[in-house]
Amino acid sequence: MTSDIDVVGMWVTADGHIRQELRADGRYDEARGERRSAYTGRYTVTGNHLDYVDDTGFTATGDIRDGVLHHEHLALYRESAADHRQARR
């Protein structure tokens, strides 16, 4: 049996341009630069894999590997994680 990884919280790119909040209610809100709520929708977690469905119907996927969220072509780090602070340097 595989348990689902905890993904709830704020995930950000190393440059801080993309900020993706994964909420406990299964919703996400993604900001891009100054554009707040650029993308919103819902997500599900199976093991370390995420499936996203945008409110417009667009779908995407992601995987958590070594504490990093690989979402399509992006690498996002937990905002509070040391890895994020290291990546920003």
Side-chain angles (χ1 to χ4, degrees):
M1 181 171 152
T2 303
S3 64
D4 297 337
I5 194 164
D6 177 22
V7 299
V8 173
M10 184 65 74
W11 295 81
V12 297
T13 54
D15 63 4
H17 181 74
I18 298 173
R19 303 175 58 79
Q20 188 177 90
E21 179 186 14
L22 300 177
R23 299 183 347 205
D25 64 359
R27 300 276 305 161
Y28 72 89
D29 189 317
E30 184 175 302
R32 298 215 169 199
E34 297 298 316
R35 188 173 165 210
R36 298 179 70 173
S37 299
Y39 300 98
T40 59
R42 58 187 167 80
Y43 73 93
T44 57
V45 180
T46 306
N48 68 337
H49 179 81
L50 287 83
D51 288 298
Y52 296 83
V53 179
D54 186 90
D55 289 337
T56 66
F58 177 80
T59 61
T61 63
D63 292 288
I64 304 286
R65 295 190 305 271
D66 297 324
V68 178
L69 171 54
H70 297 273
H71 173 61
E72 299 300 324
H73 65 282
L74 302 171
L76 296 109
Y77 304 85
R78 281 195 190 266
E79 186 171 49
S80 60
D83 287 344
H84 173 250
R85 291 188 297 275
Q86 180 71 18
R88 288 197 64 140
R89 291 187 188 143

